[in-house]
Amino acid sequence: KGVPLSESPVTPASVQVPAETSASITLDFISHALRVALIDREDVPSLPKLDWDQPGVYVLVGAIQSKEKTPVYVGKATVLRGRLLQHRSNPPIDWWRAVAVARDTTDGFHSAQIGYLEGRLASQLRAAAKLEVTEGQKNIDKTLPDHQLIPLDAFVPTIMAALRIAG
């Protein structure tokens, strides 16, 4: 039995859906200061440099399978747009859509934070049915002190909500 919508947790987001079909759909999760882009593989060059030439994590989503597992690739990047452009021409999996996640703050993420999030996302996705997860790194970055992991862990459900929107 499902939980009534009024009782289920909700992740509020502001969604921008541009009229231009090659532009990314952007989700702003204001409560976590996260910006998420949903972008089709062929449209990655249209990602604005100003917004996406920064560190973050990303998930490449392969063709959704009805009877088999859907391939996904979890990665981190110091420059999200550049990394997605690399994967566009040299893909680690056959993917059709990317979900890119960056901080919508002055400081953004640093490398230990994106390393930790990459591992956490891969672990969370691996637990999901019907997904075959490939990741850039095979371990969660544990160099951060525990008190810095708590806010990063709070981002995971928000990123999972964005992945749900991506399909």
Side-chain angles (χ1 to χ4, degrees), residues 8-122:
S8 64
V10 174
T11 305
S14 170
V15 180
Q16 295 85 51
V17 182
E20 179 59 47
T21 58
S22 65
S24 66
I25 296 172
T26 305
L27 309 168
D28 287 311
F29 294 93
I30 297 166
S31 61
H32 287 149
L34 290 179
R35 174 164 279 183
V36 176
L38 310 178
I39 187 81
D40 291 347
R41 183 174 173 174
E42 67 268 10
D43 298 326
V44 169
S46 71
L47 275 174
K49 289 180 183 182
L50 181 64
D51 295 331
W52 298 102
D53 277 359
Q54 62 177 309
V57 293
Y58 60 92
V59 177
L60 306 177
V61 180
I64 296 171
Q65 307 290 326
S66 60
K67 297 184 185 206
E68 298 175 23
K69 293 189 174 203
T70 299
V72 295
Y73 178 90
V74 181
K76 64 179 180 178
T78 54
V79 180
L80 280 165
R81 184 178 180 277
R83 188 68 170 144
L84 292 176
L85 285 169
Q86 288 174 345
H87 286 325
R88 184 173 177 253
S89 59
N90 188 16
I93 64 168
D94 185 19
W95 63 283
W96 71 282
R97 175 167 282 169
V99 177
V101 181
R103 288 296 306 247
D104 193 18
T105 63
T106 303
D107 295 329
F109 288 123
H110 59 67
S111 63
Q113 291 170 325
I114 59 176
Y116 179 78
L117 280 173
E118 176 190 28
R120 282 284 286 120
L121 283 174

Side-chain angles (χ1 to χ4, degrees), residues 69-70 72-74 118-140 160 163:
K69 293 189 174 203
T70 299
V72 295
Y73 178 90
V74 181
E118 176 190 28
R120 282 284 286 120
L121 283 174
S123 177
Q124 188 82 19
L125 290 168
R126 206 174 284 112
K130 295 227 168 219
L131 293 180
E132 181 180 328
V133 179
T134 304
E135 60 185 301
Q137 296 287 337
K138 298 292 182 197
N139 57 340
I140 295 176
M160 295 299 289
L163 285 165

